[in-house]
Structure formats: C-alpha cells, structure tokens
C-alpha cells in the first residue's frame, strides 16, 4: 500500500534537515563482549520484563460509548479516501468490551506486563473542562483486571487520538494544546496511580507530527510549511515535558518515561569510524525529538538548518522539554544505515536499494541489528540508564491454514532475528530492561486499515474470534525460558 511506504521515509527527510554538529553528548567506553555471549548463552537478564503493546484507537472500538468525545482519527478515518478501504476504528477488536478475553490471552503467553493507551477524549471528551468519570472507571477496571492476572499495566497517555475539539482550535499548531495535554496527563496519572506504576507521556511524537502535519497521510491530514511544522514539533515535545512535570506533581511515586521511535541508526559495518559516524547521526537525525527531549536543547545544526523556520521557544520551555525521565521507551522497527564520510556532518545516511527485503508493509524493511545498535548508541549518547523496547514487531500476510492454524513463519523469523540482536545488547551491558511486542492482536493499522496484520493473535474481524498464531507459541516459549 502506498500509505505507509512514505511513513518512515518522511521521518528521515525531516531528520536530514540537520547536518553537522557540535555534539553535546557524552562519550562512553564501548562495552566489552561478555563471556556469556562468547560461550553461546542466549539468556536475557533475570527479571527481564516481557510484554505486549496496543493503543486505544487501534483496539477499543466503542467510539460512541460512555461519553467518549470524537478524536482526529474518527474524523480522518470517516473521510473518504484517507484509509485503506475506508476502514475505521469504530469496532476494531472491540477490546473496550472484550478486554477480559484479551487479558486471558496475555496470561496464557506468560506476559509480565501490558502496554496500553488511554484515549484522552474518554477522560475529557472535549480535551479540557469537565472530566468524564466513566472514562477513568473504564481504565481503572482494566488495570485492576490486569493486576488480578499478575500483569503489570504500563500506560501511554497519548497514542495519536487528539480530541477533535482541540484540533478545531488549531490542534498541535496551538501552544495551548501542550498545556491542556499536561493537565489531562496529570489528572489521569493521579487517578490511576494506585493501579498503574509506569506512565509514558506520548507515543512516537515524530510519527504523528511528520505524518499528521507534514505529509498528511495520518490524522488530521495537514501538509504544513516547514516553519509551521517545526513549531508543531516544538509544541509536541513541550507537551511531553509539561506532562512529565504534571505527572510528577500529581503522582510522585509513579515512574515516568516516553515511547519514541528514534531514527535507529546502524553503522554500515562494525568498524570504529562507522560506529562513530552512527553515533553522530543518532544525535542529529533525532534532533527535533529524542535529542531535544533528552538534553533540553536543540542542536546548533538543527537551528541553523531551519534558519528563519526555526521554532519560537523560551528557556523555560526548553527546561521543561528536558525534564529528567525514569526510563526511556524506544519503538524500533527498521534500521537506517550510516557511514563515515569526511563532510561537515561526519556521516552520511545511506539509502536502501530496491532489492532490500521488507515485511508485508513496504515501509517495514528488515534491519534486525537495529535492536542492538539503537539502544546501545542511544545509551552512549544520553546515558539512559533504563531502556525498554516499547514496540517491535511486524506485519505478515497471515492466512488461516486448512487445520485452522496460522503459520506466520516470517514473523517468527523476524522476531528471532531482532531478539538475537537485543540479547547481544543486554549481554554486553546495555541497560535494556524489557520488551513490548507490537502487537497482541491484529488491529486497526492507521491509514492501512485492516489490510496489515501485526498481531501474534489472529483476529477474524467478522466474528471477533481470536486465534493465537505460530508466533504466539514462539513468544510463549521465549518468555518461559527467558532465553532464545
Ligand atoms: C508504530 C505505532 C503503532 C503501530 C505500529 C505498527 O509506529 O506506534 O501504533 O502502528 O507502528
């Protein structure tokens, strides 16, 4: 499908707004290969947190129930031509009603944790004003049911479903949205703090900004100028920072982080000069997102490249954006290759040839070593201390075989390869503490609708029947042994 092929390419274009840099990151010695790897031990660290991830608009359905307000994704998916087949999240996997069944699947897998997101418009139907008590009630019951099954809930406060009432007032173009997000985040974390210990402010700021306001293939479908887009980007990272402060004030004991899909830079090969180049690229290719969120400053190159299009900001805002976090979530699907060159930047991003392999979604190129290099380099750049892979997984052209099973051998291949590289990272001391597989269930895949299946559980969308795929069995075994 044409929709998502541009999904990542656009992010890269945005990233390459930035060129050379005075690099503000700290240098750390490269970790040494541990004996465990040398002797072929493929275990993950004791206590490694295995989980799965979903998001409100992608699984809940029940869009008109219990006082939920409309979101930009309701509007977008109901606009002709915006999603594959005109698909919407009106019903999806109906998880608003069927979450007990979903939790039983998680329990069967042996999951230790579940990442879900709260729909802002269930809590504040118009984005602000009077809260809707039924919204909090729903998520409280969901968290309680998870805990009763021995599964720790991890909550994302924003997975792209902006209340439509706020979009009508300018959405992320309006600085006020950042403040209203912080109010909602603080309120919700305060109400759920006794049943949920970990909160992520936002999911993939770079995706909803670049695709929603840059190339328009996601809601709200706008194509802003470079300067306006840079300001949206600033408002979104500001919203994250203000939310961190609001959550800490409302719920001092919870752990706070974010889930960002950094451009996961991989050196073209593992030699000192290419590794050094990949590290520089990690900072500069993520300058408008993770870099500013981790450092509280825009790199010189980022600002110089934008020139007159650079965002307006105050020092107080920058301080909020760089608010310290308890953990960093990284969503990693693909690799972006960098090589060392003698130019002003000190690196070059290398594009892939047409023959480069990809999964069912054309954008989802296969780059398993991203799960080694991205956490390692991000940690070397920003001393992250506690990292979680908050999303990784793939689409597959799943079919139900004659015996009723779904043999998604390509997904098993993908997971085995990616997790091999993650295990290398943990065995070398990169502080990755957990992994959330995207996704528990096939679900509404944004502009691709129901055309792309990412679940390890097959969903028949006509009957809502859930059938674990071969990849579920793979994941269950992996979790039980804590080892590949
Ligand atoms: C990520 C999104 C998630 C899902 C997966 C496939 O970028 O965060 O909602 O669409 O991609």
């Amino acid at each position: 499908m044409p929709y998502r092929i541009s999904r990542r390419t656009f992010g890269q274009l945005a990233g390459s707004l930035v060129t050379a840099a005075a690099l503000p990151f700290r240098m750390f010695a490269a970790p040494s290969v541990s004996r465990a790897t040398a002797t072929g031990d493929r275990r993950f660290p004791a206590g490694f947190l295995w989980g799965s991830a979903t998001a409100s608009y992608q699984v809940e359905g029940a869009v008109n129930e219990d006082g939920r307000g409309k979101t930009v994704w309701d509007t977008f998916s109901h606009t002709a031509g915006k999603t594959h087949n005109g698909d919407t999240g009106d019903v999806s996997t109906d998880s608003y009603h069927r979450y007990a069944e979903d939790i039983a699947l998680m329990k069967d897998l042996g999951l230790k944790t579940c990442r879900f997101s709260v729909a802002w418009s269930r809590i504040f139907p118009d984005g602000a004003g009077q809260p809707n008590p039924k919204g909090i009630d729903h998520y409280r019951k969901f968290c309680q049911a998870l805990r009763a099954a021995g599964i720790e809930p991890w909550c994302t406060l924003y997975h792209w479903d902006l209340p439509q009432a706020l979009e009508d007032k300018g959405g992320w173009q309006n600085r006020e949205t950042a403040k209203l997000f912080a109010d909602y985040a603080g309120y919700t974390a305060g109400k759920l703090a006794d049943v949920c210990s970990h909160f992520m402010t936002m999911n993939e700021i770079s995706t909803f900004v670049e695709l929603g306001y840059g190339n328009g293939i996601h809601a709200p479908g706008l194509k802003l100028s470079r300067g306006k887009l840079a300001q949206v980007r600033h408002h979104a990272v500001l919203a994250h920072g203000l939310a961190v402060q609001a959550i800490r004030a409302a719920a001092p004991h919870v752990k706070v982080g974010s889930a960002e899909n950094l451009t996961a830079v991989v050196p073209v090969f593992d030699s000192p000069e290419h590794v050094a180049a990949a590290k520089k690229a990690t900072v500069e290719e993520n300058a408008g997102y993770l870099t500013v969120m981790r450092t509280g400053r825009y790199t010189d190159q980022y600002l110089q490249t934008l020139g007159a299009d650079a965002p307006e900001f105050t020092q107080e805002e920058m301080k909020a954006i760089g608010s310290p976090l308890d953990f960093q979530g990284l969503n990693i699907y693909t690799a972006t290759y960098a090589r060392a060159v003698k130019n002003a930047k000190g690196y070059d991003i290398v594009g892939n040839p047409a023959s480069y392999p990809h999964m069912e979604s054309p954008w989802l190129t296969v780059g398993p070593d991203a799960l080694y290099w991205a956490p390692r380099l991000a940690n070397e750049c920003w001393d992250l201390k506690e990292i979680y892979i908050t999303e990784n997984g793939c689409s597959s052209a799943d079919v139900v075989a004659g015996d009723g099973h779904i043999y998604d051998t390509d997904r098993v291949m993908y997971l085995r390869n990616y997790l091999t590289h993650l295990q290398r990272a943990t065995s070398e001391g990169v502080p990755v503490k957990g992994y959330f597989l995207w996704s528990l269930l096939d679900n509404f895949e944004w502009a691709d609708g129901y055309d792309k299946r990412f679940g390890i559980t097959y969903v028949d969308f006509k009957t809502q029947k859930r059938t674990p795929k071969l990849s579920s069995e793979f994941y269950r075994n992996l979790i039980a042994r804590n080892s590949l």
Side-chain angles (χ1 to χ4, degrees):
M1 297 310 301
Y3 300 112
R4 289 267 290 247
I5 193 145
S6 38
R7 177 171 166 169
R8 308 289 148 159
T9 12
F10 193 84
Q12 279 178 21
L13 288 179
S16 59
L17 280 174
V18 284
T19 50
L23 297 173
F25 57 80
R26 278 171 259 176
M27 306 281 243
F28 291 87
S32 62
V33 179
S34 74
R35 249 184 104 234
T37 310
T39 55
D41 186 341
R42 304 186 73 206
R43 269 175 299 184
F44 283 86
F48 197 77
L49 211 60
W50 295 104
S52 66
T54 56
S56 44
Y57 190 70
Q58 291 180 278
V59 299
E60 284 180 354
V63 291
N64 296 316
E65 276 176 61
D66 292 341
R68 175 186 179 276
K70 289 266 175 270
T71 74
V72 289
W73 270 98
D74 295 290
T75 310
F76 189 77
S77 66
H78 280 273
T79 306
K82 297 297 185 192
T83 63
H84 172 82
N85 231 3
D87 291 344
T88 73
D90 287 2
V91 179
S92 189
T93 62
D94 194 29
S95 291
Y96 190 78
H97 301 116
R98 293 172 196 260
Y99 66 79
E101 207 182 321
D102 297 347
I103 292 172
L105 287 166
M106 295 181 211
K107 198 169 175 187
D108 186 55
L109 284 163
L111 297 191
K112 318 251 178 288
T113 181
C114 156
R115 177 175 172 236
F116 71 101
S117 83
V118 168
W120 182 347
S121 75
R122 288 197 192 277
I123 311 298
F124 292 97
D126 293 326
Q130 276 306 309
N132 165 31
K134 287 188 176 163
I136 290 290
D137 279 359
H138 169 74
Y139 293 109
R140 164 172 291 284
K141 283 192 201 127
F142 176 64
C143 289
Q144 283 167 338
L146 281 168
R147 291 170 78 109
I151 299 166
E152 187 59 34
W154 280 46
C155 174
T156 311
L157 289 158
Y158 184 75
H159 201 124
W160 309 352
D161 40 0
L162 184 72
Q164 182 61 44
L166 296 187
E167 182 57 34
D168 294 343
K169 294 181 191 149
W172 291 110
Q173 293 188 75
N174 184 345
R175 196 180 231 94
E176 184 66 10
T177 302
K179 192 173 164 302
L180 296 178
F181 174 68
D183 293 346
Y184 146 72
Y187 176 83
T188 305
K191 290 282 181 196
L192 296 179
D194 59 328
V195 289
C196 183
S197 54
H198 288 72
F199 287 85
M200 285 147 282
T201 53
M202 294 178 144
N203 178 71
E204 298 192 1
I205 301 180
S206 60
T207 308
F208 78 79
V209 169
E210 305 299 334
L211 274 59
Y213 294 83
N215 67 5
I217 65 171
H218 276 191
L222 303 180
K223 294 181 187 173
L224 300 180
S225 66
R226 192 171 84 141
K228 284 186 175 167
L229 184 62
Q231 196 64 45
V232 163
R233 209 178 280 140
H234 178 72
H235 293 161
V237 292
L238 175 62
H240 152 80
L242 294 175
V244 175
Q245 297 179 341
I247 297 166
R248 295 220 189 275
H253 303 299
V254 305
K255 302 278 186 214
V256 188
S258 83
E260 196 52 38
N261 63 327
L262 81 170
T263 295
V265 185
V266 170
V268 276
F269 18 86
D270 190 347
S271 68
E273 72 273 24
H274 292 312
V275 173
K279 201 160 150 182
K280 285 182 194 155
T282 297
V283 171
E284 290 304 332
E285 297 297 308
N286 294 296
Y289 298 105
L290 205 51
T291 304
V292 70
M293 290 157 77
R294 296 306 316 198
T295 63
R297 71 178 280 272
Y298 290 118
T299 67
D300 297 342
Q301 266 309 307
Y302 180 76
L303 294 177
Q304 278 164 20
T305 308
L306 282 169
D309 287 331
E312 282 174 20
F313 59 85
T314 66
Q315 280 321 311
E316 202 189 336
E317 288 176 352
M318 298 314 288
K319 202 165 164 231
I321 293 168
S323 294
L325 300 177
D326 300 307
F327 66 93
Q328 182 62 57
L330 302 177
N331 293 4
I332 299 174
Y333 289 90
T334 61
T336 298
Y337 295 103
R339 68 184 179 112
V341 283
K342 291 196 172 54
N343 61 11
K345 292 192 292 186
Y347 73 88
D348 197 17
I349 295 296
V350 180
N352 293 328
S355 57
Y356 194 96
H358 62 77
M359 303 303 291
E360 174 67 354
S361 307
W363 62 266
L364 215 173
T365 49
V366 182
D369 40 0
L371 267 199
Y372 168 75
W373 287 105
R376 173 179 151 178
L377 294 178
N379 188 50
E380 289 179 20
C381 292
W382 303 301
D383 190 14
L384 297 179
K385 300 215 165 57
E386 208 169 302
I387 301 173
Y388 295 86
I389 305 303
T390 34
E391 279 184 33
N392 171 249
C394 69
S395 50
S396 164
D398 299 314
V399 283
V400 184
D403 61 5
H405 292 296
I406 297 95
Y407 297 105
D408 53 341
T409 51
D410 57 345
R411 183 174 286 107
V412 173
M413 173 277 293
Y414 175 101
L415 293 173
R416 188 193 292 120
N417 280 306
Y418 275 69
L419 286 163
T420 295
H421 287 275
L422 185 64
Q423 196 275 339
R424 177 183 170 201
T426 57
S427 72
E428 291 182 11
V430 180
V432 181
K433 309 290 184 191
Y435 171 92
F436 296 77
L437 198 155
W438 185 277
S439 182
L440 178 70
L441 305 166
D442 295 334
N443 58 52
F444 175 77
E445 178 50 20
W446 309 114
D448 287 333
Y450 298 100
D451 187 49
K452 297 288 180 275
R453 293 178 177 269
F454 273 82
I456 56 171
T457 310
Y458 187 89
V459 178
D460 179 333
F461 290 103
K462 289 202 184 78
T463 61
Q464 290 297 342
K465 183 171 177 236
R466 280 112 157 104
T467 310
K469 305 177 190 175
L470 186 66
S471 52
S472 275
E473 210 175 311
F474 168 82
Y475 199 39
R476 187 190 307 108
N477 283 329
L478 169 68
I479 294 170
R481 291 160 37 187
N482 199 37
S483 176
L484 282 156

